[in-house]
Amino acid sequence: MTNQRPEADQAADHSAAATLPTQYAPAEVEGKLYERWVAAGYFRADEKSEKPPYTIVIPPPNVTGSLHLGHAFQHTLMDALTRRKRMQGYEALWLPGMDHAGIATQNKVEQQLAEEGLSRHDVGREAFVDRVWQWKEEYGGRILGQMRRLGDGVDWSRERFTMDEGLSKAVQTIFKKLFDDGLIYRAERIINWCPRCHTAISDIEVEHEESAGELVSIRYGDGDDSIVVATTRAETMLGDTAVAVHPDDERYAHLVGRTIPLPLTNRRIPVVADQHVDPEFGTGAVKVTPAHDPNDFEIGQRHDLPSLTVMDEDARITVHGPFLGLDRHEAREAVVGALREQGRIVAEKRPYMHAVGHCSRCKTTVEPRLSMQWWVKVGPLAQAAGDAVRDERVRIHPKEMAGRYFAWVDNMHDWCISRQLWWGHRIPVWYGPDGEVVCVGPDEQPPSGAGWTQDPDVLDTWFSSALWPFSTLGWPERTADLEKFYPTDVLLTGHDIIFFWVARMMMFGLYAMDGVAPFHTIALTGLVRDEHGKKMSKSNPNSVDPLDWMDAYGSDAVRFTLARGANPGADVPIGEDWVQASRNFANKVWNATRFALMNGATVTGPLPELEDLSAADRWILSRLNATVAEVDALYDDYQFAKLSDALYHFAWDEVFDWYVELSKTTLAKGGAPADASRRVLGEVLDVTLRLLHPVVPFVTDTLWTTLTGRESVVTAEWPTDRGFRDPSAEAEIATLQQVVTEVRRFRADQGLKPGQKVPARLELAGTPLVAHEDAIRSLLRLQPAGDGFTATASLPVAGATVSLDLSGAIDVAAERKRLLKDLATAEKELAQTTAKLGNDGFMAKAPEQVVVKIRTRQATAEADIARITAQLAALPQA
């Protein structure tokens, strides 16, 4: 038999079913089972192993974080990939760790200090950093325990933290290398500034929300020398150093090169011509404030304009007496009031809806601000990151997402890497008393003596995260881990951080690792949404704590639900009803395995020869091999939703609903056919549980070890397609299924209860169903046709005829009355829809979607009439 397994399985204890409770209770299994897996070392990777490596590094969650559905979603998929590869014989490493999360963690500790009436400045930098480490030890890493709840098969012995000693050395090493290569520099540029957190923040930390503001139009100058500009930030006009117009705009040609007075100040500012200005938008003239707007900064650079900073770090006005010290929002109102008094407000629009950036941590409105910061010159790094995907050293999946990647790396601006925080990797640069600037590597002594100070800033969290695929493996040392497990195989992450993390890992990986990209494949997922497709967030009532669902339904149910929604790159809707359905699936797997064990299913020895197998046996083995091949192909294409669906329908529809039911008849008869069926049933469940294990690990391990008597399915061999196919057996069972399905539908239409038995005669001669009469009768609850049998309904199906005697089974008169009522309703619906579709006036005016809807109703009515008419004809005659 070509479907034999080569290994000799230990004999299963057929009384093992007695050790399984009648119902699966996840809470009693999952925690203890996970700790057994960890204690046994199943997830530990051996850098000395000769097995081929398979590596995934976990996208490091924030040390302040807790498990949310997005984490659970991505972790489920990464765990499934790693568990399968481990079963396939790879030395699989899934490396865990956490990110120090600079701003978020510093805010947590500052909040603690505030409760004590202190600020970080009161305690000083060194003591504050000590407090952060204390907080990390006491409260940080809660998510790691929650990952255990989910079943993450990570190598805990290799857990890393972006501020640990090894990663800190990696950060200092690459900073020094980039600095020495001229790819890190210090310059004044416009950055996102949070007046509450007192730091620059990255684009990803800015949340843009529609806000109701005001748009005011202000007249600069008078008479022919006047020009009108519009702004939502009137207070910044105090820092204007020009007005810009388009070079081809004839309306302002006479003003270009001249100066006009800036209201409320004693300054005159030039009118400049710049291609950036859209002459069709507004008045075609824009105020230019280089120190407080990124576009204005670029205009200022092109025209050599001065940059006047008019707000401090708290966003308070620092110039011009009447407004000095005012908060920016107070100043806005005061400036508009003063301009109105001078008659310079031409128009005001309130409310004016526009996108306003807010700090994602504290929700404060972000202020564009000119600031001296450290930058990475990304040009050559981004070019290399783009080339690695273009020449297919790295594959983006799904490939449709590659365009978004290229749009970013091909147009990337230099990266601001400094943050005005105390928690994080300190910038390794010292300034001397005579203007010296010295960058210090990890093995070098910093300069000392009078006047030498270290740069106070720390690095953007994304800087250390960009090193994650290789720093976690020991770089800059050439460790055994780095030699064995780099490059990693796949980065699985959300498409929302292509720009901020994925591209930066590509840049730094290629740069630090001699042109070797950090991963072979970038597998991008969507975002988890609620069942209506709406975004989940903590501030919305639709937010779900996955731990609540795990408590209620088990981790397997949550994992299976998430995997079934995981189409590449697409968002994932999820609702509690779907988790309940997955729990029901786990229960179905449990009950089917208990049935098999109770009936002596075995995994011992080879499968019987083909001639000793029934058509049902050969059918399920054929379908089993086809499913193995399908699931393998889908795993390799990261099609988690499709592979989960394939497993669901094979297990539930084919194994549980059909083969298990068919085997009951064979087992009841006993003898050699029953023994063959027991062996096939054991084989099918053995392979099915192994196929399901990467996605639903807990219930499958519990059942598989009971079925086989072996140690754990975690280390079991992944099933392979043995090549066995039996088209004739598949066709034969398909015919049986057609007959059973049609008769079941008829029984339901007649109002028969599923378990209600009725007399029947089966005419199967000349069909492949002759050998299946007992099974058909069992599946359809059909009694033999005894004396006095009268066929009140005959159903010709697939060459066979099933005749039923329903005379004692239903109230014919009541059923006929019900069907006639339904028929009248359907005929009325058909008449109404046909009349509408035949009305030329209606058809000329009705929208297309309305016409389509009416045609659909018409088709449904026609189908209902045909069905009900057939049911009436099949009723016994009164």
PDB file of all heavy atoms in Angstrom, residues 348-359:
ATOM      1  N   GLU A 348     -12.908  84.727   7.141  1.00  0.00           N
ATOM      2  CA  GLU A 348     -12.749  83.745   8.219  1.00  0.00           C
ATOM      3  C   GLU A 348     -13.721  82.595   7.984  1.00  0.00           C
ATOM      4  O   GLU A 348     -14.887  82.830   7.646  1.00  0.00           O
ATOM      5  CB  GLU A 348     -13.046  84.375   9.583  1.00  0.00           C
ATOM      6  CG  GLU A 348     -12.108  85.501   9.964  1.00  0.00           C
ATOM      7  CD  GLU A 348     -12.449  86.080  11.329  1.00  0.00           C
ATOM      8  OE1 GLU A 348     -12.330  85.342  12.330  1.00  0.00           O
ATOM      9  OE2 GLU A 348     -12.862  87.255  11.381  1.00  0.00           O
ATOM     10  N   LYS A 349     -13.223  81.369   8.127  1.00  0.00           N
ATOM     11  CA  LYS A 349     -14.075  80.199   7.947  1.00  0.00           C
ATOM     12  C   LYS A 349     -13.997  79.343   9.197  1.00  0.00           C
ATOM     13  O   LYS A 349     -12.942  78.826   9.561  1.00  0.00           O
ATOM     14  CB  LYS A 349     -13.643  79.378   6.725  1.00  0.00           C
ATOM     15  CG  LYS A 349     -14.565  78.193   6.429  1.00  0.00           C
ATOM     16  CD  LYS A 349     -14.155  77.481   5.144  1.00  0.00           C
ATOM     17  CE  LYS A 349     -15.125  76.329   4.868  1.00  0.00           C
ATOM     18  NZ  LYS A 349     -14.749  75.606   3.618  1.00  0.00           N
ATOM     19  N   ARG A 350     -15.148  79.189   9.871  1.00  0.00           N
ATOM     20  CA  ARG A 350     -15.238  78.371  11.076  1.00  0.00           C
ATOM     21  C   ARG A 350     -16.545  77.579  11.054  1.00  0.00           C
ATOM     22  O   ARG A 350     -17.585  78.161  10.728  1.00  0.00           O
ATOM     23  CB  ARG A 350     -15.242  79.248  12.341  1.00  0.00           C
ATOM     24  CG  ARG A 350     -13.981  80.032  12.599  1.00  0.00           C
ATOM     25  CD  ARG A 350     -14.048  80.657  14.003  1.00  0.00           C
ATOM     26  NE  ARG A 350     -12.898  81.503  14.285  1.00  0.00           N
ATOM     27  CZ  ARG A 350     -12.811  82.778  13.996  1.00  0.00           C
ATOM     28  NH1 ARG A 350     -13.835  83.366  13.387  1.00  0.00           N
ATOM     29  NH2 ARG A 350     -11.750  83.474  14.274  1.00  0.00           N
ATOM     30  N   PRO A 351     -16.570  76.318  11.371  1.00  0.00           N
ATOM     31  CA  PRO A 351     -15.370  75.495  11.585  1.00  0.00           C
ATOM     32  C   PRO A 351     -14.745  75.107  10.245  1.00  0.00           C
ATOM     33  O   PRO A 351     -15.447  74.978   9.237  1.00  0.00           O
ATOM     34  CB  PRO A 351     -15.911  74.273  12.311  1.00  0.00           C
ATOM     35  CG  PRO A 351     -17.311  74.129  11.776  1.00  0.00           C
ATOM     36  CD  PRO A 351     -17.810  75.536  11.573  1.00  0.00           C
ATOM     37  N   TYR A 352     -13.453  74.918  10.259  1.00  0.00           N
ATOM     38  CA  TYR A 352     -12.730  74.467   9.067  1.00  0.00           C
ATOM     39  C   TYR A 352     -12.117  73.107   9.393  1.00  0.00           C
ATOM     40  O   TYR A 352     -11.218  73.003  10.241  1.00  0.00           O
ATOM     41  CB  TYR A 352     -11.649  75.479   8.694  1.00  0.00           C
ATOM     42  CG  TYR A 352     -10.826  75.071   7.491  1.00  0.00           C
ATOM     43  CD1 TYR A 352     -11.367  75.126   6.212  1.00  0.00           C
ATOM     44  CD2 TYR A 352      -9.509  74.627   7.644  1.00  0.00           C
ATOM     45  CE1 TYR A 352     -10.615  74.753   5.095  1.00  0.00           C
ATOM     46  CE2 TYR A 352      -8.751  74.265   6.535  1.00  0.00           C
ATOM     47  CZ  TYR A 352      -9.316  74.318   5.270  1.00  0.00           C
ATOM     48  OH  TYR A 352      -8.577  73.948   4.175  1.00  0.00           O
ATOM     49  N   MET A 353     -12.651  72.047   8.750  1.00  0.00           N
ATOM     50  CA  MET A 353     -12.188  70.683   9.048  1.00  0.00           C
ATOM     51  C   MET A 353     -10.886  70.407   8.296  1.00  0.00           C
ATOM     52  O   MET A 353     -10.817  70.585   7.080  1.00  0.00           O
ATOM     53  CB  MET A 353     -13.243  69.655   8.660  1.00  0.00           C
ATOM     54  CG  MET A 353     -14.587  69.832   9.364  1.00  0.00           C
ATOM     55  SD  MET A 353     -14.449  69.806  11.176  1.00  0.00           S
ATOM     56  CE  MET A 353     -13.838  68.127  11.439  1.00  0.00           C
ATOM     57  N   HIS A 354      -9.880  70.010   9.038  1.00  0.00           N
ATOM     58  CA  HIS A 354      -8.613  69.665   8.400  1.00  0.00           C
ATOM     59  C   HIS A 354      -7.869  68.664   9.288  1.00  0.00           C
ATOM     60  O   HIS A 354      -8.168  68.501  10.477  1.00  0.00           O
ATOM     61  CB  HIS A 354      -7.763  70.927   8.152  1.00  0.00           C
ATOM     62  CG  HIS A 354      -7.348  71.650   9.394  1.00  0.00           C
ATOM     63  ND1 HIS A 354      -6.061  72.020   9.659  1.00  0.00           N
ATOM     64  CD2 HIS A 354      -8.074  72.083  10.466  1.00  0.00           C
ATOM     65  CE1 HIS A 354      -5.997  72.642  10.805  1.00  0.00           C
ATOM     66  NE2 HIS A 354      -7.210  72.703  11.311  1.00  0.00           N
ATOM     67  N   ALA A 355      -6.914  67.947   8.684  1.00  0.00           N
ATOM     68  CA  ALA A 355      -6.163  66.931   9.409  1.00  0.00           C
ATOM     69  C   ALA A 355      -5.114  67.589  10.297  1.00  0.00           C
ATOM     70  O   ALA A 355      -4.341  68.432   9.839  1.00  0.00           O
ATOM     71  CB  ALA A 355      -5.498  65.966   8.431  1.00  0.00           C
ATOM     72  N   VAL A 356      -5.119  67.200  11.563  1.00  0.00           N
ATOM     73  CA  VAL A 356      -4.169  67.748  12.532  1.00  0.00           C
ATOM     74  C   VAL A 356      -3.412  66.576  13.164  1.00  0.00           C
ATOM     75  O   VAL A 356      -4.009  65.587  13.594  1.00  0.00           O
ATOM     76  CB  VAL A 356      -4.887  68.565  13.615  1.00  0.00           C
ATOM     77  CG1 VAL A 356      -3.897  69.065  14.666  1.00  0.00           C
ATOM     78  CG2 VAL A 356      -5.638  69.731  12.983  1.00  0.00           C
ATOM     79  N   GLY A 357      -2.085  66.691  13.228  1.00  0.00           N
ATOM     80  CA  GLY A 357      -1.262  65.633  13.806  1.00  0.00           C
ATOM     81  C   GLY A 357      -1.257  65.687  15.320  1.00  0.00           C
ATOM     82  O   GLY A 357      -1.127  66.760  15.917  1.00  0.00           O
ATOM     83  N   HIS A 358      -1.405  64.496  15.952  1.00  0.00           N
ATOM     84  CA  HIS A 358      -1.355  64.399  17.407  1.00  0.00           C
ATOM     85  C   HIS A 358      -0.335  63.345  17.807  1.00  0.00           C
ATOM     86  O   HIS A 358      -0.144  62.350  17.114  1.00  0.00           O
ATOM     87  CB  HIS A 358      -2.719  64.017  17.983  1.00  0.00           C
ATOM     88  CG  HIS A 358      -3.787  65.031  17.763  1.00  0.00           C
ATOM     89  ND1 HIS A 358      -4.463  65.164  16.557  1.00  0.00           N
ATOM     90  CD2 HIS A 358      -4.306  65.981  18.584  1.00  0.00           C
ATOM     91  CE1 HIS A 358      -5.355  66.149  16.659  1.00  0.00           C
ATOM     92  NE2 HIS A 358      -5.276  66.658  17.866  1.00  0.00           N
ATOM     93  N   CYS A 359       0.292  63.552  18.953  1.00  0.00           N
ATOM     94  CA  CYS A 359       1.223  62.567  19.496  1.00  0.00           C
ATOM     95  C   CYS A 359       0.446  61.309  19.864  1.00  0.00           C
ATOM     96  O   CYS A 359      -0.561  61.380  20.596  1.00  0.00           O
ATOM     97  CB  CYS A 359       1.930  63.133  20.723  1.00  0.00           C
ATOM     98  SG  CYS A 359       2.989  61.944  21.576  1.00  0.00           S
TER      99      CYS A 359
END
